[in-house]
Amino acid sequence: MSPTRAQLTRQIIEAGRFLYGRGWSPATSSNYSARLSPEEALLTVSGKHKGQLGEDDVLATDMAGNSLEPGKKPSAETLLHTQLYTWKAEIGAVLHTHSVNATVLSRLILSDSLVFADYELQKAFAGVATHECQICVPIFDNDQDIARLASRVRPWLDEHPDCVGYLIRGHGLYTWGAAMKDALRQVEAFEFLFDCELKMRALQGR
């Protein structure tokens, strides 16, 4: 049985409290969503403190990113969520966070991707069964024109169907999962790996 709107709303609220508590979604940054139906998604309302979300801070949109609830404005980045739901039918939740590690690492790396290799925790990502592989995380330059940014993200996703997340330079992380618990697991795995990468680079003097 699919989760109800009330259950999905509660999951989004609880995710906000967890992610804010870990310092990965400070203040009004970040946005979260869950698939409500094949044609609709639930998203956080624009400008809301993610550690203090209530039921009225979530709204329904169509897959074009349009609000289905008069008076409620979705995040400016709604298209980045809905394009993931249209990319893969099995995606049930999307999380966008603004951690210090993700922000700093995405600015530090001058190439267009970050590659993780030989970390045991890579197995926390969906579809990964061994540390003996590489996880390529693309980094897209930030853009206030979200439709333009989405148009750069989608071709990369289509060419890399095993993608588990991406970074926006100086901005944050996008990752997803079949359910909210899966998306949260991937955020936590990413944050561990980001921390490892920054520490390794500091020790290596680069």
Side-chain angles (χ1 to χ4, degrees):
M1 180 183 295
S2 299
T4 65
R5 171 168 178 154
Q7 289 171 327
L8 293 173
T9 297
R10 177 50 51 186
Q11 289 175 15
I12 290 172
I13 291 170
E14 291 175 355
R17 290 175 181 168
F18 173 75
L19 296 168
Y20 171 75
R22 297 298 295 266
W24 299 336
S25 288
T28 58
S29 72
S30 308
N31 36 75
Y32 321 130
S33 68
R35 185 191 293 274
L36 182 59
S37 73
E39 297 82 26
E40 298 176 334
L42 290 179
L43 282 104
T44 45
V45 173
S46 179
K48 298 296 182 178
H49 191 294
K50 300 310 180 294
Q52 302 170 5
L53 293 173
E55 291 183 3
D56 288 339
D57 298 325
V58 175
L59 80 161
T61 73
D62 61 23
M63 289 302 173
N66 301 305
S67 174
L68 299 176
E69 300 181 28
K72 286 188 176 182
K73 179 184 176 182
S75 165
E77 296 171 42
T78 297
L79 279 177
L80 297 177
H81 288 254
T82 56
Q83 80 168 1
L84 287 164
Y85 294 124
T86 58
W87 173 54
K88 280 191 176 180
E90 59 266 34
I91 292 176
V94 178
L95 295 172
H96 170 47
T97 52
H98 283 234
S99 73
V100 171
N101 285 346
T103 304
V104 172
L105 199 53
S106 69
R107 290 173 63 92
L108 186 65
I109 296 171
L110 300 180
S111 64
D112 59 4
S113 65
L114 166 64
V115 177
F116 296 120
D118 298 322
Y119 285 107
E120 182 68 16
L121 204 67
Q122 290 170 196
K123 293 190 290 186
F125 296 123
V128 179
T130 175
H131 70 281
E132 296 178 329
C133 68
Q134 291 189 338
I135 304 293
C136 183
V137 183
I139 304 173
F140 300 98
D141 289 336
N142 200 8
D143 194 333
Q144 295 301 300
D145 185 329
I146 299 301
R148 185 167 58 199
L149 176 55
S151 73
R152 297 203 307 270
V153 173
R154 184 58 187 258
W156 203 97
L157 294 173
D158 289 339
E159 292 171 12
H160 301 82
D162 58 347
C163 181
V164 294
Y166 64 83
L167 288 165
I168 301 175
R169 201 178 306 279
H171 187 158
L173 168 72
Y174 268 87
T175 191
W176 47 85
M180 186 62 73
K181 63 182 178 63
D182 302 304
L184 285 166
R185 183 190 70 245
Q186 296 208 163
V187 170
E188 198 162 3
F190 268 120
E191 288 300 332
F192 174 86
L193 295 172
F194 292 155
D195 200 20
C196 287
E197 283 292 309
L198 285 170
K199 285 182 168 63
M200 289 288 290
R201 289 164 187 266
L203 290 170
Q204 293 167 352
R206 61 183 178 91

